[in-house]
Amino acid sequence: WNIDERWAVQGQALLQQQTETGAERRLGSAEVRHATPDSTVALGLRSVEDQDGGGASLRSDQAYLTGSVDLFEDRVTLRATGDMTMGSRDASSDYPARALLGVDYRIAPETTLFAEWEHADGAAIASDMTRVGVRARPWERTQIVTAVSQQASEFGPRTFANFGLTQGWRISERWTLDLGIDQSNTLRGADLA
């Protein structure tokens, strides 16, 4: 919901079910976002509960802060995100406490090189990850992302490649629909021993 041209409020509710195992994820989030032509900052709350097929539950409750600033006539974007655990609830492996720093460099209007460093630390995961890749938008509401990532975690070092494609459609002035696919392949690490 756009309050005005600079302020917006956003909410998300998600129910994801794994039909084979009966596992499911429930996620709810809300955020307030302030944007100017050259910067964005958002503050939000998120609650995630993962249940495996046997009924065991893993929950993460978080407050998060994210921001970005565009420099050099929008050719460079600096980004940062911090997800902080609330009430010692950081059990979901996909939603630990984390910090991310990133930089984007636009080599063409629809093509961006990016680099990121991420540190995650939760009940189910502790890792540091570096990503380098390319993001392209060949036509409206489409994004292609390819990246090579290096991760150091309690399971040892790993290098892997990702490819993702997302296509979006505008249903109305206020509603959009996005559909995407992602693939990840381990290039080097314990999984390939």
Side-chain angles (χ1 to χ4, degrees):
W1 177 48
N2 293 325
I3 298 169
D4 60 28
E5 63 184 37
R6 293 190 179 212
W7 289 93
V9 176
Q10 177 176 311
Q12 178 182 13
L14 170 89
L15 173 61
Q16 182 179 17
Q17 296 178 323
Q18 209 323 326
T19 55
E20 188 174 310
T21 65
E24 70 178 32
R25 168 172 286 166
R26 295 174 187 208
L27 180 147
S29 69
E31 77 174 33
V32 176
R33 179 174 297 268
H34 181 266
T36 69
D38 293 325
S39 65
T40 302
V41 65
L43 176 64
L45 298 172
R46 175 187 304 126
S47 182
V48 181
E49 184 175 8
D50 295 334
Q51 290 186 340
D52 66 17
S57 179
L58 302 172
R59 184 168 175 167
S60 289
D61 292 330
Q62 297 179 322
Y64 63 89
L65 178 64
T66 183
S68 67
V69 62
D70 294 327
L71 305 169
F72 308 112
E73 299 176 0
D74 296 339
R75 289 192 68 86
V76 175
T77 300
L78 303 177
R79 300 176 281 112
T81 299
D83 297 342
M84 289 75 60
T85 301
M86 297 185 332
S88 299
R89 292 188 174 163
D90 61 359
S92 173
S93 61
D94 293 334
Y95 293 92
R98 76 180 180 117
L100 183 140
L101 299 173
V103 61
D104 300 338
Y105 179 73
R106 286 171 193 74
I107 57 175
E110 304 300 330
T111 306
T112 303
L113 298 175
F114 68 91
E116 297 176 337
W117 171 79
E118 178 181 1
H119 173 76
D121 191 10
I125 188 170
S127 75
D128 287 291
M129 187 177 316
T130 304
R131 293 180 202 91
V132 178
V134 177
R135 225 180 265 122
R137 297 181 182 273
W139 53 84
E140 186 177 351
R141 297 199 49 82
T142 298
Q143 179 172 271
I144 298 170
V145 178
T146 183
V148 174
S149 303
Q150 185 167 12
Q151 180 181 35
S153 71
E154 64 271 21
F155 304 111
R158 177 171 81 116
T159 302
F160 56 100
N162 294 87
F163 174 80
L165 171 65
T166 304
Q167 176 64 58
W169 296 272
R170 180 166 292 284
I171 298 170
S172 70
E173 182 180 316
R174 294 185 184 257
W175 288 93
T176 60
L177 173 68
D178 293 317
L179 188 64
I181 59 170
D182 288 297
Q183 180 180 4
S184 180
N185 293 313
T186 301
L187 303 174
R188 185 177 62 206
D191 293 342
L192 292 179

